[in-house]
Amino acid sequence: MPIKVEQITKTGLVVSDYDKKLKPNDIKLLLSKQQHIEIKSNKNPYIVKYKNKDINLYVKNITYLGRKKDKFGNYNDWEHYKKRIQIGKNFKPVSKQKNTLLLGVYHYDNANVFCIFDKQSYENSSANNASAHIHTMDIHKARKLGIFEKVDKKGNNLIVFTEQNFEKVFGMILLSKQTALSNELDIFSKFSNTLNTNWNGIDCYTEMINANFNNAYLSEWAGLYLEYKFEQFLNSNPNYQNTCQYIQNKTKGSIDLDLWFKQGKYYGDLKAHNINQNLLGNDKTNIDKAIKEYQKVWYIAFSHHTIKDKDKNGVTTQFWNQKLNSNKGKKKKLTSYLSRMKHSVMLDNFVVLEINQFNQQYLVDFKQGRNSDGTPRNKKISIKRKDIENDNFAIYRQKL
């Protein structure tokens, strides 16, 4: 039975409604309307000529993922932001041919969005039916930008684009070109290439302390070291500060996020994120205010695997407490914070997460307990690990 799920209007708004599907004849008519397309067959996959080049075009509707069956045999709805094309056995005969494209069509609000999926993931599929996935965020970004390209959690490349950009994208695909990164994404791609991916806690503390970094003595050293390295990177590349600024001295009542994207006019924050956990964000009131005033917030999350210090004889904990006692006049036990201290981290990837008014509903409130005077601490936001992995927030990923 059809249900209402997330749909994206021609202006990029996200609403709740039923799927709209094009019939095969409507799909064929839609293709024939595109410039330089000549359809030479009647069945899917279509043989088409595009600018004198023959292409096999396997085309399917993009619709809601549907229902899933749990281990007890009960059916439940998938998240309403998940969509797919269904790939049938008629794709197999052309799947490995170089000139084959896997094309999805999303139709809603009397407008169309296309997606070219990475067909290599489905060339060797033994199943008669497979699914290629896409999400609300991907279509929303295409509506806003015209063309949106990203790599999903499984390493598949997606190019999502409006009908007005059909000729541009097809020309790009035939020339094996990729879309250029935005100025904002390019900064973090270049920054990531400067990083050593294996961080040792004692080495990172030592480097920050010797550089007189403001937050060098705090306990969560991985996130602070990331901020320290990014600040260094911006100082070494001052031209990038025309695009992204690191904000240290905030005024009272201002939005407490560390990054300001000057060209796009929105806030963001850097996070060192344990790859196996939910992402813990900032104060909820800050996020709400930033989205209300600037429409979106970016988290640039560097995901890592963690080795706990308690499994390494507590050497980082002991070093940290010794430095606090000798340099800051503290009187700390050398085992203080041992259960939570990281010994080292290994960076795996970084992902850019966009929070906006449409996916804000999937954030989770994180309660921090109470202050020393008994008053409750402000709530923080959290993004579930599954929502990060499901690409509901992700707009860019890069392996490190």
Side-chain angles (χ1 to χ4, degrees):
M1 181 177 178
I3 63 170
K4 289 185 176 182
V5 295
E6 292 184 354
Q7 309 293 351
I8 305 90
T9 70
K10 65 179 67 175
T11 60
L13 297 177
V14 178
V15 298
S16 181
D17 202 353
Y18 297 104
D19 278 333
K20 312 292 183 186
K21 293 176 63 174
L22 294 176
K23 295 178 181 178
N25 286 340
D26 295 327
I27 289 177
K28 189 176 178 182
L29 179 61
L30 175 63
L31 293 175
S32 67
K33 289 168 55 181
Q34 307 310 312
Q35 234 178 347
H36 308 297
I37 285 277
E38 178 188 349
I39 300 177
K40 300 173 67 177
S41 66
N42 292 318
K43 289 185 177 181
N44 197 13
Y46 299 102
I47 300 173
V48 305
K49 186 178 286 292
Y50 182 80
K51 293 185 177 180
N52 297 317
K53 185 168 184 176
D54 287 335
I55 301 173
N56 298 312
L57 207 54
Y58 188 78
V59 192
K60 297 299 290 283
N61 281 289
I62 294 172
T63 56
Y64 173 54
L65 187 55
R67 312 201 81 193
K68 56 185 174 181
K69 190 176 183 180
D70 65 22
K71 62 182 180 181
F72 303 109
N74 300 314
Y75 285 90
N76 299 294
D77 295 337
W78 282 104
E79 290 84 356
H80 287 188
Y81 56 74
K82 286 189 171 185
K83 301 183 185 298
R84 67 172 175 182
I85 63 168
Q86 291 182 279
I87 304 168
K89 61 183 179 181
N90 56 335
F91 177 63
K92 286 185 179 180
V94 299
S95 63
K96 295 186 179 181
Q97 295 181 23
K98 186 178 180 180
N99 61 339
T100 296
L101 293 178
L102 190 56
L103 183 70
V105 182
Y106 176 75
H107 180 77
Y108 187 76
D109 196 20
N110 294 316
N112 302 296
V113 170
F114 297 93
C115 178
I116 293 179
F117 293 90
D118 191 343
K119 74 182 182 69
Q120 290 182 338
S121 299
Y122 310 98
E123 287 177 354
N124 299 314
S125 174
S126 59
N128 287 329
N129 289 285
S131 294
H133 294 165
I134 185 172
H135 301 82
T136 296
M137 174 64 87
D138 307 322
I139 300 172
H140 166 74
K141 295 298 287 186
R143 284 287 193 211
K144 290 295 185 181
L145 301 175
I147 302 173
F148 174 66
E149 183 172 4
K150 84 170 184 185
V151 176
D152 69 14
K153 67 169 182 177
K154 293 184 177 179
N156 301 316
N157 195 66
L158 304 177
I159 305 176
V160 195
F161 54 100
T162 58
E163 188 171 353
Q164 292 80 3
N165 286 283
F166 191 96
E167 181 182 2
K168 183 177 181 179
V169 171
F170 263 62
M172 181 179 72
I173 291 294
L174 294 179
L175 292 173
S176 299
K177 290 184 177 180
Q178 288 186 311
T179 56
L181 290 178
S182 68
N183 291 338
E184 291 84 358
L185 293 176
D186 186 57
I187 287 175
F188 292 100
S189 179
K190 286 185 168 64
F191 167 59
S192 71
N193 292 331
T194 69
L195 295 175
N196 175 5
T197 56
N198 293 303
W199 294 356
N200 174 277
I202 292 177
D203 291 343
C204 293
Y205 270 127
T206 300
E207 185 178 343
M208 290 188 290
I209 290 169
N210 289 343
N212 295 316
F213 181 60
N214 287 344
N215 295 319
Y217 291 92
L218 297 180
S219 57
E220 292 298 324
W221 60 264
L224 299 168
Y225 187 70
L226 179 65
E227 293 177 7
Y228 162 71
K229 296 301 285 187
F230 187 64
E231 185 179 355
Q232 274 192 328
F233 176 78
L234 288 182
N235 290 337
S236 299
N237 299 275
N239 288 340
Y240 290 151
Q241 296 186 44
N242 294 323
T243 299
C244 179
Q245 298 174 341
Y246 189 77
I247 308 168
Q248 290 180 305
N249 300 313
K250 304 175 183 69
T251 58
K252 186 175 181 180
S254 64
I255 294 173
D256 188 15
L257 294 168
D258 289 339
L259 302 179
W260 171 249
F261 294 97
K262 189 175 180 181
Q263 293 176 351
K265 298 189 184 308
Y266 55 92
Y267 281 95
D269 210 64
L270 277 173
K271 294 292 179 186
H273 164 58
N274 187 323
I275 202 168
N276 296 314
Q277 296 179 358
N278 297 342
L279 184 142
L280 181 60
N282 296 69
D283 189 292
K284 179 178 169 63
T285 56
N286 269 291
I287 299 299
D288 291 344
K289 184 176 181 181
I291 293 173
K292 183 177 180 179
E293 293 185 17
Y294 301 101
Q295 286 73 59
K296 62 184 176 184
V297 169
W298 274 15
Y299 276 124
I300 299 87
F302 282 75
S303 300
H304 59 75
H305 300 279
T306 304
I307 295 177
K308 289 287 190 179
D309 202 39
K310 65 183 180 181
D311 298 324
K312 291 291 183 177
N313 298 318
V315 292
T316 304
T317 307
Q318 182 174 325
F319 176 86
W320 175 61
N321 284 302
Q322 284 174 337
K323 288 297 180 183
L324 283 173
N325 293 343
S326 62
N327 295 358
K328 294 293 183 178
K330 302 288 185 180
K331 295 181 179 180
K332 305 259 297 180
K333 292 182 180 179
L334 296 187
T335 56
S336 177
Y337 205 74
L338 174 62
S339 64
R340 298 175 65 184
M341 178 64 75
K342 297 176 181 68
H343 172 270
S344 54
V345 302
M346 293 148 288
L347 300 182
D348 181 85
N349 68 81
F350 83 89
V351 57
V352 179
L353 306 169
E354 179 175 306
I355 306 171
N356 55 45
Q357 61 179 311
F358 306 118
N359 61 12
Q360 191 176 6
Q361 62 180 302
Y362 297 104
L363 297 176
V364 177
D365 289 347
F366 181 83
K367 295 180 180 180
Q368 298 191 84
R370 295 184 176 274
N371 295 306
S372 57
D373 62 0
T375 59
R377 293 177 179 172
N378 291 339
K379 292 179 183 177
K380 289 190 173 185
I381 63 103
S382 176
I383 302 177
K384 291 180 181 178
R385 176 186 172 188
K386 72 167 187 175
D387 286 327
I388 298 173
E389 293 180 347
N390 284 339
D391 287 328
N392 188 36
F393 293 89
I395 62 169
Y396 183 78
R397 294 180 186 273
Q398 185 172 315
K399 193 75 174 175
L400 299 177

